[in-house]
Amino acid sequence: MAGRTILTRNAVINSTHTLIKCREKYLLPSLEVSDLPSFVRMAYRRLFRLQSFISNRKMVRDTYGEYLRYKFKKENYDTKRSIVVGDTPKAPLREEIRNSVMFVVKAVSHLPETKDSKFAIARDNTTCRQVLKNLLTIEYEKQSLIARYRPPTKRRDMVGPYQIYRKDFTHMQELNKSAQWRVFGEFDICTVYLNEILQTRL
């Protein structure tokens, strides 16, 4: 029913927005967690809890979930980063993770962009949402390529898309190999630069 509002113990929900009453389980604690593995797991759980707010479309939510699994469990970000900025100093891992969680929180937060004191916050949220949307669009294309790939029987030495885009990051080093490599490569390079500026690990 249009305009209907649903009240639950944890949220107020209507056709367009959800107001979370208790936000602690989506945010990292302000007090520092001494054990780094525990802190990483804590961030992982919170990012996964935000999955339902990413999009109304299941395909986008699934892409986000796969993206998180890859980032936390398989990606060698230091290798990816070194291709772009070399062996330069970087922000502490805790800070990158904390900033990344806040980035996603902002991306799923809604505040109307009106000309009052909150305009800057609203614009910041909108920018985060647009960046995350673009990131998940590229991720969906990569995941689709990897899922569809079948190695040719007569070319067992041929490198597949998982090796290219997920492990070796060859597309970031050989941009002229194909139009597809250039699109993915330039996007990933820009993402690394964005991470350097924001001190995130998107």
Side-chain angles (χ1 to χ4, degrees):
M1 182 184 297
R4 183 179 180 184
T5 299
I6 300 173
L7 303 177
T8 71
R9 184 178 62 181
N10 298 317
V12 180
I13 306 166
N14 63 20
S15 59
T16 56
H17 299 105
T18 300
L19 174 65
I20 301 299
K21 295 179 181 178
C22 182
R23 62 180 188 173
E24 282 73 17
K25 67 178 183 177
Y26 301 100
L27 301 175
L28 288 169
S30 55
L31 296 177
E32 200 61 64
V33 179
S34 59
D35 182 47
L36 181 59
S38 296
F39 179 76
V40 172
R41 287 193 297 271
M42 192 179 295
Y44 182 66
R45 287 195 299 269
R46 278 155 175 75
L47 286 168
F48 248 105
R49 287 170 187 160
L50 292 168
Q51 185 176 24
S52 58
F53 305 114
I54 292 295
S55 174
N56 291 328
R57 300 169 63 191
K58 183 178 183 299
M59 179 187 72
V60 180
R61 295 195 302 271
D62 290 346
T63 300
Y64 173 79
E66 286 300 316
Y67 165 72
L68 288 183
R69 291 185 189 95
Y70 167 70
K71 292 291 290 185
F72 276 83
K73 297 182 178 182
K74 296 181 179 180
E75 183 187 51
N76 186 337
Y77 183 75
D78 288 338
T79 298
K80 185 177 183 179
R81 179 182 181 273
S82 67
I83 294 171
V84 182
V85 296
D87 190 24
T88 57
K90 64 184 182 71
L93 179 59
R94 287 175 183 272
E95 187 173 348
E96 290 180 332
I97 292 174
R98 187 176 290 278
N99 291 341
S100 298
V101 172
M102 186 51 62
F103 184 95
V104 178
V105 168
K106 288 180 179 181
V108 300
S109 300
H110 174 75
L111 190 65
E113 291 191 15
T114 56
K115 294 182 179 180
D116 58 19
S117 59
K118 295 181 179 179
F119 176 78
I121 299 174
R123 172 46 49 178
D124 193 31
N125 290 353
T126 300
T127 301
C128 291
R129 184 160 51 252
Q130 291 169 341
V131 170
L132 184 61
K133 178 182 177 182
N134 290 338
L135 192 152
L136 293 178
T137 299
I138 293 294
E139 276 299 308
Y140 175 77
E141 294 299 329
K142 287 181 183 177
Q143 291 173 17
S144 298
L145 281 172
I146 292 168
R148 292 196 306 264
Y149 178 72
R150 297 293 180 272
T153 55
K154 295 183 180 180
R155 290 287 306 276
R156 296 188 181 277
D157 60 331
M158 190 170 181
V159 178
Y162 185 88
Q163 190 77 23
I164 294 168
Y165 301 126
R166 298 303 204 199
K167 297 189 72 176
D168 297 340
F169 309 112
T170 320
H171 65 297
M172 298 171 65
Q173 305 170 69
E174 301 178 20
L175 297 176
N176 293 325
K177 187 72 174 287
S178 70
Q180 189 176 77
W181 282 34
R182 176 166 290 280
V183 170
F184 290 163
E186 288 185 347
F187 185 89
D188 285 348
I189 289 170
C190 289
T191 302
V192 171
Y193 280 127
L194 179 67
N195 285 334
E196 294 297 300
I197 295 169
L198 301 180
Q199 296 186 339
T200 52
R201 190 173 283 209
L202 303 174

